[in-house]
Amino acid sequence: MTPNVVPQPSFPDQRSLDHRSPARSGATRPKAILSPIRQRDVNGTPKVWLKNISLSYRVDNGTRLLALDNINLKVKPGEFLCIVGPSGCGKSTLLHLIAGLHQPSSGSLLVDDHKVGAPGTDRILIFQELGLFPWLKVGENVEFGMKMKGLSKAEREERVQYYLRLVHLSQFKDSYTHQLSGGMRQRVALARALATEPDVLLMDEPFAALDAQTRDLLHDELERIWAETGRTVIFVTHNVREAVRLGDRVAVLTFRPGRLKREYSVDLPRPRHLEDVTVAKSAREILDDLREEINKSLEEQYGLEAAR
Amino acid sequence: MKRLGKHAIFYAALLGSWSLLAALKIWPPYLFPTPKGVMEALYAGFQDHSFWIAIVVSMRRVVIGYAISVVAGTVLGLGVASNEFLEETMGGLLVSLQSLPSICWWPLALLWFGLNQNAILFVVFMGSLLSVTMAMEDGRKQMPKIYAMAGRNLGAHGFRLFWYVLLPASLPFIVSGLKQGWAFAWRSLITAEMLYMSLGLGQVLMMGRELNDMSQVIAVMILIIAIGYVVDGLVFKTIERRLQHQWGLTSAT
């Protein structure tokens, strides 16, 4: 067990990705947005605190299924936390819960030490299916959360421009989402989430359906944007190597019911790459730990006597 | 162009055989009018403004009645879709009520509202209410849940969630129902106007009957068809095309 998180390495300046990010040189950051919140470990208050959270729901035949079992998890401000687990372990449910879209059956969710139970624009979830609005143009999608927040038209315009540039989609402002590729849609969802300026960004297997090249590129961009904005990120994936590549910390969930099995702090320098030997090695370690849970999930799904 | 040619041939043949039949004089002209007579009746009707007035009056009635039914149908449909009890009970009633021609409400409407415009509006309202209600109910159920969740996640709730997310998200599923509702509203209106003499296209049509002027009857029939066609083509086709463009449905089909 390694419950303590190793302090963040300072990395933004070591990056070698600048040639790909016109946002650094081109975009002028509008005032009052994106002030980097690097309040890591300021007073030790967790940004998000899951306190003895359990969640069960009724399935078709009337019995109750325990999806999450007594989860205790603290996420520090500015931390990049990855949650891994086999499919069906309740990872997505956990994110929906943090987003306020589900209520826990017991336990409580604290954000900045305040109990919350409803959706709020301080925590924005990027859904696995994205949930972009097809009746709105790309720019209008990005604008949506700000409109709901009641920002002025001028302010919204400014931010739409800024965030579209941040994800390299400025020229697609007036396109409809179905006209974009999968990777581009993914970036629209990211811009839409960032534009509401959430403290916490929740990402539910966002890159699972993408090809390897696009995914690599988006890893780089996400790392860059995270570094630039200093948001807290909680990132759910079933891909351990992706988790190690991105996270400061990796939490492993068990299969049904979802319990917190173990936490690893990832103490590798950034920027990282998926192919780094160190990343592969750490991933291997976690994967061995996860194997048992994956086998349980496979047995359940396919009735196999496991791929042992 | 090819399509246009086909249409031209078809309608030329239709008009030709009509003229031919009329020219044979098997039936007297007051029973079987000539195309020329109908054209003259159309011209005369517009010339003395009686058709214009009838169109304006009828359109006003149908728009008012339809608008009320869209609002009420939306509330009713969403209510039924969101409540299990209502869905199981009222859902079935709505389906069975749909087999009732709305003109059957006419006697009740007369008693409730008196012999005036409101009685007509009521029949129009009942004509399209069920289609709209069922379209809304269907649309609400078919709409992918992800949009509602995404909307709430981005800070929309209550009326704003409905107006900015739920309504546009279900529009592709309800537009055909709205269209059907319009068609029912239009038919109900004409029927009611034929029963109750007070301006409107239905009344002009019945006037042709009183005067034994079949040219006028057919002229009004053509008007009724044309208006229905124009509204369908201008309003609903435009909405559908826009939706298909936005949602990217054209490339998929």
Side-chain angles (χ1 to χ4, degrees), chain A residues 124-125 132 134 144 147 176 178, chain B residues 147 153 160 165 168 245-246 248:
Chain A
I124 295 291
L125 170 61
L132 294 177
F144 185 88
K147 199 165 156 187
Y176 284 108
H178 70 90
Chain B
Y147 297 131
N153 181 36
R160 286 155 82 84
V165 181
H245 174 62
Q246 285 181 342

Side-chain angles (χ1 to χ4, degrees), chain B residues 198-213:
Chain B
S198 148
L199 304 169
L201 283 167
Q203 188 229 3
V204 181
L205 194 147
M206 284 308 269
M207 215 148 76
R209 186 204 139 193
E210 309 274 309
L211 301 172
N212 242 343
D213 183 356

Side-chain angles (χ1 to χ4, degrees), chain A residues 229-300:
Chain A
T229 60
R231 308 285 138 172
T232 307
V233 179
I234 304 179
F235 187 104
V236 156
T237 176
H238 63 265
N239 183 337
V240 176
R241 208 194 277 203
E242 184 177 54
V244 174
R245 187 251 170 273
L246 290 169
D248 293 331
R249 186 156 58 113
V250 178
V252 178
L253 281 194
T254 61
F255 178 74
R256 221 166 274 171
R259 291 195 189 96
L260 203 55
K261 185 170 190 173
R262 199 154 301 166
E263 291 171 44
Y264 296 85
S265 74
V266 183
D267 200 7
L268 303 172
R270 292 181 191 266
R272 304 170 190 157
H273 291 282
L274 215 53
E275 290 76 25
D276 287 348
V277 180
T278 47
V279 168
K281 230 178 114 189
S282 302
R284 181 72 222 211
E285 208 177 306
I286 300 176
L287 199 58
D288 285 338
D289 194 14
L290 193 59
R291 181 73 67 196
E292 194 188 334
E293 305 303 325
I294 295 174
N295 286 342
K296 269 195 260 171
S297 126
L298 287 176
E299 273 173 45
E300 173 106 352

